[in-house]
């Protein structure tokens, strides 16, 4: 479903809008407080971005190092091409009626895992990883980590990009994450486990995203949710219109990157932003989300150009570009437009426009363009 | 100083009053204003909507038209930001064009904050996203507004939050766009202002269009119009710009000014 259609019922629900507005206000204030008190916050962000870029550039080598360390510590790495394969691997690792607790993460959501907390009866745990340190094969989570002390099977699920080469890299990311995620200076608890891990590493479109040199930067994401907290669009619509993947600005980038821009959700998500830039300002690893959205909009339009019948929008945009390509054509367009506008105007405003532009006048007037454009005025100036 | 104006396609067609005000203001400050008639659009609309080849050819055209100009000014933070930040991404050869947003030119290059304007209204200022985040204009527009005679400046709550325009967003996600402007308008009403001003006619068309549809009585006015207003011109501004009374008043003011010069 297109984002705009899925957003409509959410916009019409006053109580969830109030809840989100209040949550956004609190989160923004907390985040601002946690980062303002840190004199080298900008340098920390630079460092975080550099670590993530370096990791992604050589991801193949870091993944090999990770696999070697995990294996050395008595664990095993399972490679999953997509969500279905990841689920198959997990059910093979936890056969039959094994009751397993779940520590959820964006990646466990991505592959559609559901389940409760680890209780006294559970004999296994499925843990969504926060990070994986390649040099030692260590799993890192940002909670007290009860599920990590299980004597039984611990199945860990992570995206291939959740790898961190070294502990000193992790140190930087663990300073960024709590401030951006919850407006806290540090996580109340960070737990690790090295050894005896069944590690499921998920691709699910990531290698494709990595191959795009511009788009790759989106995989810097360390899953903090700061962009979502500041996003004025997310504040109005909530998570649902973003589909089954990540919500908020980074979701509008990642979902089309991982799943392609052909389906209606993937094609509409890059446009689900005003490009206001609030997300880029708070991103702890400096992902230029508006820039990536514009990049993806280009991909959407390119894929539409290949259709045999051009869309009305394509015709409109091409026509505009053609008229703007020459000042005489352009001025003719201005004159013609002013004439049409004069016919459509009532009491000095335009209240209804046909076609695509009717979406504007559904709720907004348009001023009547004056008969004389700026350039015509300039020519007649004494 | 010799200053070339880039009026923007949006301004040329829909809001010529803004461009005229900018010209009036710069000339009043003693500068020579030039207008390249070959200018059309900077390509922002095509670029941000995903029409790359069209945007790049408009950007190349823009660079060609303004090639010989040292100093270019535009009454739009988002068009200035397009030239300065998007052009180098389109083609590295397009980097380095000196395009300034109007308030930035006034404060940073021309070194004025008191432009001799008079505007007896209660005004609130909406900092547009591109003026805050892409250009980092900071309090420059506010410093200019504070120096305007008779202007009562009212602080806008949650000022930095986007109004919901977003170019194609206003059409493609019209419902969310309107939900955002509804909140912006609520904040504008909280200030008790009669006028909301900004550095971008695009955002103002969105805010002003919603204000007009609601018959709210609050008007959206470009900051150039306020800075260009002089004593006794308040009535003209209130009567609306670009309309017939506005044009007559403008001609009369010009005639008066000319006779004064004699």
């Amino acid at each position: 479903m297109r984002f705009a259609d899925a957003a409509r019922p959410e916009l019409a629900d006053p109580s969830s809008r109030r809840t989100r507005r209040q949550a956004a206000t609190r989160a923004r204030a907390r985040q601002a407080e946690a980062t303002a008190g840190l004199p080298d916050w900008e340098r920390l962000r630079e460092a975080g971005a550099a670590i993530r870029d370096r990791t992604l550039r050589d991801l193949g080598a870091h993944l090999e190092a990770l696999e070697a360390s995990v294996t050395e510590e008595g664990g095993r790495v399972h490679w999953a091409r997509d969500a279905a394969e990841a689920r198959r691997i997990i059910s093979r690792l936890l056969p039959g009626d094994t009751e397993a607790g779940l520590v959820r993460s964006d990646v466990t959501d991505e592959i559609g895992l559901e389940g409760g907390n680890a209780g006294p009866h559970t004999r296994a745990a499925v843990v969504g990883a926060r990070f994986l340190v390649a040099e030692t094969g260590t799993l890192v989570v940002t909670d007290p980590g009860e599920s990590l002390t299980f004597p039984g099977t611990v199945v860990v699920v992570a995206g291939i990009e959740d790898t961190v080469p070294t502990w000193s890299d992790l140190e930087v990311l663990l300073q960024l994450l709590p401030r951006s995620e919850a407006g806290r200076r540090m996580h109340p608890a960070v737990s690790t486990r090295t050894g005896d891990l069944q590690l499921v590493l998920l691709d699910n479109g990531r290698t494709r995203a990595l191959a795009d040199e511009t788009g790759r930067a989106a995989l810097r994401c360390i899953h903090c949710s700061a962009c979502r907290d500041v996003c004025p669009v997310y504040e109005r619509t909530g998570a649902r219109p973003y589909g089954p993947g990540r919500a908020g600005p980074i979701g509008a980038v990642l979902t089309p990157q991982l799943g392609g821009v052909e389906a209606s959700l993937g094609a509409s998500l890059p446009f689900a932003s005003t490009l206001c830039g609030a997300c880029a300002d708070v991103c702890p690893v400096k992902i230029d989300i508006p820039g990536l959205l514009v990049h993806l909009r280009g991909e959407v339009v390119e894929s539409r150009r290949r259709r045999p019948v051009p869309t009305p929008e394509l015709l409109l945009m091409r026509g505009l570009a053609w008229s703007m390509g020459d000042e005489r054509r352009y001025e003719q367009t201005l004159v013609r437009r002013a004439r049409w506008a004069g016919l459509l105007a009532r009491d000095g405003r335009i209240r209804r426009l046909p076609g695509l532009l009717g979406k504007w006048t559904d709720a907004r007037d348009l001023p009547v363009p004056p008969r004389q454009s700026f350039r015509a005025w300039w020519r007649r100036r004494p | 100083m010799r200053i070339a104006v880039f009026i923007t396609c949006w301004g040329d067609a829909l809001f010529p009053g803004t461009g005229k005000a900018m010209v009036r203001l710069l000339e009043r400050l003693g500068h020579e204003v030039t207008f390249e008639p070959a200018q059309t659009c900077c390509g922002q609309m095509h670029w941000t909507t995903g029409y790359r080849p069209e945007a790049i050819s408009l950007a190349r055209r823009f660079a060609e038209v303004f090639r010989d100009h040292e100093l270019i000014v535009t009454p739009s933070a988002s068009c200035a930001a397009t030239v300065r930040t998007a052009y180098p991404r389109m083609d590295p050869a397009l980097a380095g064009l000196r395009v300034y947003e109007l308030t930035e030119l006034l404060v940073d290059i021309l070194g004025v904050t008191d432009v001799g304007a008079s505007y007896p209204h209660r005004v609130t200022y909406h900092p547009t996203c591109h003026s805050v985040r892409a250009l980092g204009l900071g309090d420059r527009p506010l410093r200019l507004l504070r120096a305007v005679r008779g202007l009562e400046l009212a602080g806008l709550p949650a000022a930095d939050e986007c109004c919901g325009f977003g170019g194609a967003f206003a059409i493609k996600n019209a419902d969310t766009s309107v939900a955002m402007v509804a909140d912006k308008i609520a904040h504008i009403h909280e200030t008790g202002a009669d006028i909301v001003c900004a550095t971008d006619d695009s955002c103002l068309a969105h805010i002003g269009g919603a204000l007009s549809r609601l018959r709210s009585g609050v008007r959206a006015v470009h900051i150039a119009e306020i800075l260009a207003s002089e004593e006794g011109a308040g009535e003209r501004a209130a009567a609306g710009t670009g309309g017939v009374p506005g044009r007559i008043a403008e001609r009369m003011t010009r005639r008066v000014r000319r006779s004064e010069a004699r």
Side-chain angles (χ1 to χ4, degrees):
Chain A
M1 206 203 278
R2 288 187 315 159
F3 182 89
D5 297 327
R8 222 162 280 130
E10 306 297 324
L11 292 169
D13 176 4
S15 77
S16 67
R17 278 186 67 179
R18 188 185 324 110
T19 311
R20 281 195 298 272
R21 186 167 58 239
Q22 288 164 349
T25 308
R26 276 195 305 272
R28 286 169 202 177
R30 266 203 315 265
Q31 208 179 75
E33 201 190 313
T35 56
L38 201 70
D40 59 351
W41 175 244
E42 283 309 311
R43 279 183 43 218
L44 202 57
R45 289 174 78 209
E46 297 278 349
I51 287 169
R52 295 298 290 148
D53 275 350
R54 182 159 44 76
T55 308
L56 295 173
R57 211 164 31 236
D58 262 330
L59 190 60
H62 296 305
L63 286 171
E64 278 172 30
L66 175 67
E67 183 172 29
S69 324
V70 168
T71 315
E72 202 174 306
E73 296 290 343
R76 217 192 125 189
V77 173
H78 310 265
W79 303 93
R81 247 172 315 221
D82 52 30
E85 192 173 3
R87 282 194 307 269
R88 270 201 306 278
I89 294 168
I90 293 166
S91 53
R92 208 173 54 227
L93 290 168
L94 304 172
D97 54 355
T98 312
E99 223 178 305
L102 175 70
V103 178
R104 59 155 300 276
S105 72
D106 287 330
V107 179
T108 63
D109 287 353
E110 182 181 339
I111 62 173
L113 288 189
E114 280 167 18
N117 294 331
H121 304 295
T122 48
R123 279 176 299 155
V126 178
V127 180
R130 213 61 220 240
F131 297 110
L132 294 157
V133 185
E135 61 179 352
T136 50
T138 304
L139 158 71
V140 182
V141 294
T142 48
D143 65 41
E146 279 123 12
S147 48
L148 304 194
T149 53
F150 259 59
T153 317
V154 176
V155 176
V156 181
V157 186
I160 52 173
E161 84 285 15
D162 295 325
T163 309
V164 179
T166 67
W167 282 84
S168 61
D169 294 334
L170 180 71
E171 191 188 316
V172 175
L173 300 182
L174 283 182
Q175 289 180 66
L176 289 164
L177 188 58
R179 288 181 163 89
S180 298
E181 183 176 39
R184 284 192 294 230
R185 283 156 64 194
M186 56 194 291
H187 288 291
V190 174
S191 319
T192 64
R193 170 165 169 155
T194 307
D196 204 17
L197 301 174
Q198 295 297 323
L199 175 58
V200 182
L201 284 173
L202 180 69
D203 182 337
N204 209 22
R206 287 165 173 78
T207 46
R208 184 165 83 166
L210 276 169
D212 175 359
E213 247 176 85
T214 313
R216 179 189 296 172
L219 293 174
R220 280 184 201 161
C221 179
I222 54 172
H223 308 252
C224 75
S225 79
C227 61
R228 213 172 61 189
D229 291 337
V230 297
C231 180
V233 173
Y234 176 85
E235 184 191 322
R236 297 332 182 276
T237 68
R240 220 165 294 153
Y242 291 89
R246 306 272 305 278
I250 193 67
V253 173
L254 282 173
T255 301
Q257 271 188 334
L258 302 180
V261 296
E262 282 76 26
S264 64
L265 179 67
S268 66
L269 278 176
F271 295 92
S273 162
T274 63
L275 307 178
C276 84
C279 49
D281 273 6
V282 297
C283 176
V285 286
K286 301 188 82 161
I287 302 173
D288 173 17
I289 295 175
L292 292 173
L293 288 168
V294 169
H295 172 69
L296 284 163
R297 291 175 184 193
E299 309 282 298
V300 174
V301 170
E302 285 313 311
S303 88
R304 291 204 175 136
R305 277 187 218 268
R306 291 192 285 271
R307 289 185 190 172
V309 183
T311 61
E313 183 193 292
L314 179 64
L315 293 175
L316 177 71
M317 294 303 273
R318 253 199 233 146
L320 274 174
W322 179 78
S323 91
M324 286 163 169
D326 177 275
E327 65 269 25
R328 280 167 303 263
R329 288 201 295 262
Y330 176 66
E331 185 154 13
Q332 272 168 15
T333 312
L334 291 186
V335 170
R336 220 171 292 143
R337 193 155 35 166
R339 215 172 286 148
W340 273 107
L343 292 173
L344 291 165
R346 297 276 177 283
D347 304 327
R349 42 192 145 203
I350 297 174
R351 301 180 63 186
R352 195 167 297 162
L353 282 171
L356 269 180
L357 298 174
K359 290 270 186 194
W360 176 279
T361 49
D362 272 353
R364 291 152 288 198
D365 290 341
L366 203 64
V368 183
R371 276 177 195 283
Q372 196 183 34
S373 64
F374 177 86
R375 60 187 60 225
W377 170 79
W378 179 270
R379 268 199 305 268
R380 293 205 197 142
R381 245 161 66 102
Chain B
M1 238 179 268
R2 218 185 122 126
I3 304 164
V5 293
F6 170 51
I7 289 306
T8 80
C9 56
W10 190 266
D12 204 352
L14 273 176
F15 299 96
T18 300
K20 293 181 206 173
M22 183 170 77
V23 170
R24 227 167 38 229
L25 169 64
L26 293 172
E27 287 183 344
R28 190 173 77 207
L29 294 171
H31 301 284
E32 187 196 341
V33 176
T34 62
F35 174 78
E36 282 293 346
Q39 64 179 271
T40 58
C41 170
C42 66
Q44 171 177 205
M45 183 175 41
H46 286 87
W47 178 250
T48 57
T49 314
Y51 293 81
R52 282 182 209 150
E54 288 85 355
I56 293 171
S57 84
L58 286 170
R60 295 212 170 106
R61 189 169 191 283
F62 181 96
E64 186 57 34
V65 169
F66 285 101
R67 195 182 45 185
D68 299 325
H69 292 281
E70 282 283 295
L71 206 52
I72 308 157
V73 67
T74 183
S76 160
S78 71
C79 299
T82 298
V83 176
R84 275 155 47 180
T85 63
Y87 277 19
R89 289 174 188 212
M90 298 183 199
D91 177 355
L94 295 174
L97 280 160
R98 299 229 301 164
V99 176
Y100 294 95
E101 182 280 328
L102 175 63
T103 66
E104 193 183 23
L105 177 94
L106 290 169
V107 175
D108 293 356
I109 308 296
L110 307 181
V112 285
T113 45
D114 183 353
V115 295
S118 167
Y119 197 79
H121 296 280
R122 186 168 168 88
V123 174
T124 191
Y125 171 73
H126 164 62
T128 64
C129 298
H130 285 119
S131 76
V132 180
R133 299 187 189 94
L135 297 182
L137 291 189
D139 69 344
R140 289 173 185 81
L142 291 172
R143 276 151 69 194
L144 288 157
L145 288 171
R146 279 189 206 112
V148 174
R149 319 276 178 286
L151 187 147
E152 200 187 325
L153 190 63
L156 182 65
D160 279 2
E161 196 174 299
C162 179
C163 70
F165 170 66
F169 183 82
I171 303 273
K172 285 180 187 272
N173 284 283
D175 297 281
T176 311
S177 172
V178 171
M180 288 166 73
V181 84
D183 293 345
K184 181 59 75 182
I185 286 175
H187 291 311
I188 293 170
H189 281 313
E190 279 174 53
T191 66
D194 303 321
I195 306 280
V196 52
C197 73
T199 55
D200 289 79
D201 269 330
S202 47
C203 311
L204 284 172
H206 173 65
I207 299 172
L211 286 168
S212 159
R213 174 63 55 90
L214 296 167
R215 307 295 189 267
S216 71
V218 178
R219 289 195 310 117
V221 173
H222 194 284
I223 192 168
E225 303 245 22
I226 294 177
L227 298 177
S229 292
E230 288 168 283
E231 204 123 5
E235 290 313 304
R236 169 165 51 98
T241 49
V244 177
R247 279 213 298 275
I248 293 171
E250 203 167 276
R251 226 173 288 153
M252 282 169 61
T253 332
R254 213 187 302 146
R255 223 171 280 158
V256 171
R257 226 184 300 147
R258 242 179 286 149
S259 65
E260 276 170 0
R262 260 181 251 135

